[in-house]
Amino acid sequence: MLVFEDETTITQKPCIRKSMSFQGELEKIEHNGSKNKFSTYISMLWPDQNLMYDFYDVMNSNNTIDHLENLRKYVMKIRWKRLILIWDNASFHISRIVHEYIKKQINWLTIIYLPKKSPYLNPNERKVNQQIKSYVCANRFYENIENQKAAVSEYLDKRFGRWNNDI
């Protein structure tokens, strides 16, 4: 199976986007100034475009390995022979600890690195990450991070569907 993987950071502070309003009136978005954020690791099964995603506090090597472990559990459960994972050259993808982990997964995992500075080659960038920020986060404030994670999950599940509901 072919999977594209990418991450995005989502902040509780609303991202302001252009919106329609009457002349002379501005849309007001109440918020508490919180700069809380979370990261979402998103793997898109290709060509089906179903998603597997995990939420973390930060993007780092340990969370990357945790996400890969979730992928491994699913691959083993479904009995796929091999997963071909395509991702970028983020520092935590090419770290020593992740590289060591990947070397031990040779029986089920093949990694293909996208060229540097080429987000247009990863469909997650425009099909998922930009859509989350436009449809879930733009001009909205969530009282807490958990509500925002729930809104992101609901959007992703309705828009794309999940391929790991049962692990």
Side-chain angles (χ1 to χ4, degrees):
M1 297 307 306
L2 183 65
V3 172
F4 286 90
E5 196 275 341
D6 199 29
E7 310 78 24
T8 189
T9 299
I10 300 170
T11 61
Q12 192 175 1
K13 180 181 174 186
C15 54
I16 307 302
R17 300 281 166 97
K18 289 181 183 178
S19 61
M20 299 294 293
S21 60
F22 293 108
Q23 187 173 358
E25 293 181 14
L26 294 175
E27 181 179 3
K28 293 183 182 177
I29 301 166
E30 301 285 332
H31 66 90
N32 63 7
S34 172
K35 293 183 181 177
N36 293 337
K37 61 184 175 182
F38 62 94
S39 299
T40 308
Y41 281 64
I42 302 168
S43 295
M44 179 187 284
L45 185 62
W46 197 260
D48 300 351
Q49 298 185 18
N50 290 336
L51 302 180
M52 177 178 176
Y53 56 89
D54 294 303
F55 296 128
Y56 299 99
D57 292 335
V58 294
M59 289 185 251
N60 62 30
S61 297
N62 292 330
N63 291 337
T64 300
I65 290 171
D66 185 69
H67 184 69
L68 289 173
E69 268 299 301
N70 290 337
L71 287 171
R72 185 190 65 78
K73 289 174 189 172
Y74 191 76
V75 166
M76 296 304 147
K77 182 177 182 179
I78 299 301
R79 296 190 173 126
W80 288 342
K81 291 183 180 179
R82 176 150 302 277
L83 182 87
I84 300 169
L85 184 69
I86 301 172
W87 64 9
D88 57 22
N89 286 279
S91 61
F92 41 86
H93 290 168
I94 59 174
S95 70
R96 183 183 49 77
I97 188 172
V98 171
H99 185 69
E100 291 297 319
Y101 174 84
I102 291 169
K103 282 197 313 191
K104 294 175 187 170
Q105 310 306 315
I106 193 114
N107 60 330
W108 68 274
L109 180 64
T110 300
I111 301 285
I112 297 174
Y113 291 93
L114 292 171
K116 292 181 180 180
K117 302 194 188 277
S118 57
Y120 53 87
L121 294 176
N122 190 335
N124 281 8
E125 291 285 351
R126 62 189 176 283
K127 285 187 168 283
V128 184
N129 298 353
Q130 289 177 2
Q131 301 303 313
I132 290 171
K133 292 181 178 166
S134 292
Y135 294 109
V136 180
C137 301
N139 302 333
R140 290 185 178 90
F141 174 70
Y142 295 90
E143 289 295 321
N144 58 56
I145 284 289
E146 295 309 315
N147 290 350
Q148 193 169 22
K149 286 179 184 178
V152 170
S153 285
E154 182 181 345
Y155 172 77
L156 292 176
D157 292 347
K158 283 183 180 177
R159 173 74 170 84
F160 297 97
R162 277 183 126 166
W163 52 278
N164 71 323
N165 278 336
D166 50 354
I167 52 171

